[in-house]
Amino acid sequence: MDTLILKIDTPKGNESKIEAAAKIIKSGGLVAFPTETVYGLGADAYNSESIKNIYKAKGRPSDNPLILHISNFDMMNDLCDYLPENAKILMDTFMPGPITIIVPKSDKVPDVVTAGLKTVAVRFPSDKVASSLIEAANVPIAAPSANLSGKPSPTTFRHVFDDLNGRVDCIIEGCDCECGVESTVVDATGDVPVILRPGIITPADIKEVIPSVIVDKNVLEAVSIDETPKCPGMKYKHYSPDADVYVVEGDSKSVKKEIDRLISENSDKTIGVMTCSDNTYEAEILINVGSTFDKYAHSLYTSLRKFDELGADIVFAEFSEGEGAALAVKNRLYKSAGHKVIHV
Ligand code: TXA
Ligand code: MG
């Protein structure tokens, strides 16, 4: 299939291109578009056939439900049966923004979207290109991250193009994504909100408006074979480059010592090191993701893809505990490493 590329870095002056992309959505096609977190692969949320095509284009298992993207709160009313109190607070405080809220699903939402669950995930992106597209389509847009299933999520147009050109109807060539990791997913159906996937909006941010918050255990622990996780996506291998990733976690000095040892032990391999400190290494490929967790989050997926491009066999990723986006970074690192974590 020929993929139409539409360059839209801002909605202003690009109204006719936004209209063209919205028309593709309305006629049942697939459009990849930028958001403030990562690029999404969108289809009309009410069109079951189009939703099935999302799963096909990504090679995504059909038991992993999708997030519905809205551009105004009226759209929310059509998607959920009723709004739990916590959902209202989270919407008022954090939407539009990098958060996804799980609420009870209405009958209007096709079962293919939620993979048969009685709940639905809803997100109101703050990115202007994303919200203009949804507004022009005038329907909620179902969209997973616009990567091939299992690959790191795309944070630039180039990543989407590499994964999906020829597999989807249209890709919007927008700006690089600001956050770099996917939205915080919060189950708001119970008395206490549960964070199913950490993101740039942190447990501490949520605690400012709702006193108690739980972080689901599968955020950091691997899902065992006989377990059904609350967030179906958790059981799949995720965010993985082709290289074999190891997380080396501890204080910066001990991490340096251990990675030096690992480099000399693996001298027959092409080694990449992802550093978030001043440490330097004798590795073929060295990528510094910056000294704050926001910067680490922003560059994480780009860096993982870069290691593959440069032919790394093995990647050692530095990690030291911290605040803010630290939990989001740790969760993605653990998953991309298949939970191979060396504590020093
Ligand atoms: O930032 C984001 O959230 C991006 C952009 C495009 O908006 N989207 C994204 O979608 O990351 P995706 O499909 O790659 O991840 C959605 C996650 C999956 O792990 C899925 O299992 C979970 O949300 N999810 C969706 N619906 C759910 C539900 N009803 N209950 C629990 N988890 C759900
Ligand atoms: Mg994804």
Side-chain angles (χ1 to χ4, degrees), residues 58 60 145 147 153 182 197 238:
K58 276 186 58 105
R60 178 175 174 115
S145 48
N147 51 292
S153 293
E182 307 83 349
R197 181 177 70 184
H238 256 79

Side-chain angles (χ1 to χ4, degrees), residues 250-267:
D251 68 87
S252 168
K253 232 173 142 184
S254 316
V255 164
K256 157 86 179 142
K257 208 170 146 202
E258 177 63 7
I259 294 182
D260 279 341
R261 194 189 65 76
L262 289 163
I263 291 173
S264 55
E265 211 173 65
N266 290 278
S267 54

Side-chain angles (χ1 to χ4, degrees), residues 10-300:
T10 163
K12 234 181 172 174
N14 286 311
E15 290 79 4
S16 59
K17 289 187 193 170
I18 298 263
E19 236 359 281
K23 213 168 150 193
I24 295 173
I25 296 274
K26 278 189 279 193
S27 56
L30 302 187
V31 177
F33 60 98
T35 82
E36 70 277 24
T37 55
V38 300
Y39 273 73
L41 176 60
D44 177 349
Y46 296 129
N47 186 332
S48 300
E49 285 312 307
S50 311
I51 303 292
K52 285 182 195 154
N53 288 335
I54 290 185
Y55 287 96
K56 264 191 224 147
K58 276 186 58 105
R60 178 175 174 115
S62 60
D63 65 348
N64 193 5
L66 306 181
I67 295 173
L68 300 188
H69 295 68
I70 59 172
S71 56
N72 59 65
F73 288 121
D74 287 342
M75 283 183 174
M76 182 80 147
N77 296 333
D78 286 340
L79 301 177
C80 66
D81 250 357
Y82 69 94
L83 270 179
E85 204 47 44
N86 284 334
K88 284 186 202 155
I89 299 172
L90 294 172
M91 282 165 64
D92 280 353
T93 316
F94 299 111
M95 286 188 172
I99 192 164
T100 294
I101 302 179
I102 311 281
V103 290
K105 155 193 181 310
S106 85
D107 288 343
K108 271 193 166 181
V109 179
D111 286 334
V112 274
V113 167
T114 61
L117 294 178
K118 291 196 162 45
T119 55
V120 62
V122 186
R123 165 155 144 67
F124 185 163
S126 58
D127 182 275
K128 292 288 176 255
V129 174
S131 55
S132 308
L133 174 67
I134 305 163
E135 202 63 14
N138 201 24
V139 283
I141 293 184
S145 48
N147 51 292
L148 287 175
S149 200
K151 289 275 155 215
S153 293
T155 59
T156 69
F157 160 71
R158 180 48 58 179
H159 298 159
V160 182
F161 186 84
D162 288 348
D163 277 14
L164 297 180
N165 185 39
R167 303 175 72 93
V168 300
D169 299 287
C170 172
I171 303 175
I172 294 181
E173 180 177 357
C175 300
D176 295 355
C177 302
E178 192 187 326
C179 303
V181 290
E182 307 83 349
S183 60
T184 307
V185 176
V186 187
D187 181 347
T189 56
D191 292 339
V192 179
V194 184
I195 296 181
L196 301 179
R197 181 177 70 184
I200 296 299
I201 293 175
T202 65
D205 293 333
I206 295 173
K207 271 186 194 147
E208 282 187 22
V209 288
I210 302 173
S212 53
V213 180
I214 295 171
V215 177
D216 191 85
K217 76 174 179 58
N218 288 130
V219 163
L220 294 177
E221 278 175 31
V223 178
S224 56
I225 297 170
D226 53 356
E227 200 177 0
T228 307
K230 287 214 189 76
C231 182
M234 281 172 168
K235 67 175 177 286
Y236 294 108
K237 189 172 176 228
H238 256 79
Y239 323 123
S240 296
D242 297 331
D244 210 8
V245 179
Y246 291 80
V247 181
V248 184
E249 182 177 332
D251 68 87
S252 168
K253 232 173 142 184
S254 316
V255 164
K256 157 86 179 142
K257 208 170 146 202
E258 177 63 7
I259 294 182
D260 279 341
R261 194 189 65 76
L262 289 163
I263 291 173
S264 55
E265 211 173 65
N266 290 278
S267 54
D268 55 329
K269 301 206 173 93
T270 302
I271 295 177
V273 178
M274 187 151 65
T275 133
C276 55
S277 65
D278 294 334
N279 292 338
T280 57
Y281 296 96
E282 301 277 317
E284 280 93 331
I285 313 160
L286 189 62
I287 299 181
N288 190 312
V289 288
S291 54
T292 67
F293 285 108
D294 280 344
K295 286 186 186 157
Y296 204 148
H298 178 78
S299 331
L300 179 59

